[in-house]
Amino acid sequence: MTRGILIAGNEASLTVMIAREAAKRVDAVATALIPNRLGGSSETELLNVGEGSSQIPLNWNPGSPISARSLILGAGNRLGRISDAILVCSPPAIRKGPAALSPNDIEVLVNDHIKGWFSLTRELALYFRENSALTSRDRGASTEGGVLALVVPDISPGGKEDAADIAGPAVAAAFRGLAQSILSAGEPYRALGFSSAEAGNDEEFAAYIFKVIDEGNRRDSGRWFKFGRLNFFR
């Protein structure tokens, strides 16, 4: 059966590297990006995911639960099925104090970078549960409904010489809490969590994520994996 990979995440280097790693395994990769509407630089190299593979860009308005539903339906239709969904929380930094935040900054922060993940994980959980139930009926046994990988790098608010990042750590904490609840739920699909404190090693981190996914070990479901060079090359 064809393997369908969906990658949803921020416009960030880590998302780019994960998409390129996925492109080594399948003919087409479906991607849904959260645009950087909070200022700063964006990395949109996902338009070139790698030789011999193509990108299927899908629209997603993170603040809309209906858009999350449409994204899953669209990805399933374009890919044939979603086998692996990899969600990448790597939010842009906002280095300003609370008084300097505009009402629009706050709305974008909550809708794009917190609310959107709750809506999307809900739809994916429903999708994978349904797939698992259908597969069990067809084969007469309990079978994996898919893989949901939740990826969040460790984000520091910044050093004494830098203005503190008011957004990144808060968003990462919310995503990590959401991920932990999914990992602890005992779902019929494989749920995996990934984090890394090694900034600047996005390419190796992406390879490590797929190394764990490709091993297909059901006992790994519900675990957090902490990336480091030592455990990658073991």
Side-chain angles (χ1 to χ4, degrees):
M1 186 177 290
T2 301
R3 182 180 184 182
I5 300 178
L6 168 65
I7 297 171
N10 301 95
E11 292 182 342
S13 171
L14 179 57
T15 314
V16 172
M17 292 300 109
I18 290 173
R20 289 182 176 174
E21 196 66 32
K24 298 175 183 178
R25 292 161 171 79
V26 292
D27 293 331
V29 180
T31 58
L33 298 181
I34 302 174
N36 183 359
R37 299 197 290 150
L38 293 172
S41 61
S42 297
E43 302 183 42
T44 54
E45 296 177 77
L46 278 169
L47 294 175
N48 179 16
V49 295
E51 295 182 6
S53 186
S54 62
Q55 182 199 29
I56 302 173
L58 299 171
N59 293 324
W60 176 33
N61 174 7
S64 167
I66 295 175
S67 181
R69 175 65 173 163
S70 298
L71 171 60
I72 301 309
L73 290 173
N77 289 335
R78 296 290 298 276
L79 295 170
R81 69 188 291 260
I82 302 173
S83 309
D84 310 329
I86 304 173
L87 310 188
V88 189
C89 178
S90 185
I94 303 181
R95 299 194 181 279
K96 59 176 74 172
L101 289 173
S102 70
N104 184 65
D105 287 338
I106 297 170
E107 185 173 358
V108 169
L109 180 63
V110 173
N111 284 340
D112 287 9
H113 303 286
I114 296 179
K115 179 181 176 181
W117 292 124
F118 281 81
S119 297
L120 188 57
T121 53
R122 175 185 183 274
E123 295 300 332
L124 283 167
L126 292 171
Y127 178 89
F128 284 142
R129 282 181 182 181
E130 182 179 359
N131 275 6
S132 182
L134 289 173
T135 311
S136 288
R137 285 201 296 270
D138 290 344
R139 299 183 183 179
S142 177
T143 308
E144 176 184 303
V147 176
L148 176 57
L150 302 120
V151 183
V152 55
D154 293 340
I155 299 175
S156 169
K160 293 181 179 179
E161 297 180 359
D162 302 320
D165 176 7
I166 196 173
V171 170
F175 185 88
R176 189 182 290 270
L178 172 63
Q180 188 59 58
S181 69
I182 295 169
L183 297 179
S184 304
E187 297 284 359
Y189 51 86
R190 284 177 70 206
L192 307 169
F194 295 92
S195 63
S196 171
E198 295 195 13
N201 289 317
D202 293 338
E203 187 173 358
E204 292 180 6
F205 186 22
Y208 174 71
I209 290 168
F210 272 98
K211 175 179 178 289
V212 173
I213 292 174
D214 292 346
E215 285 173 352
N217 190 344
R218 285 286 299 172
R219 294 182 181 180
D220 286 342
S221 188
R223 285 184 56 191
W224 272 107
F225 291 86
K226 183 81 169 183
F227 170 69
R229 284 194 179 91
L230 291 178
N231 60 18
F232 178 59
F233 290 109
R234 236 175 238 170

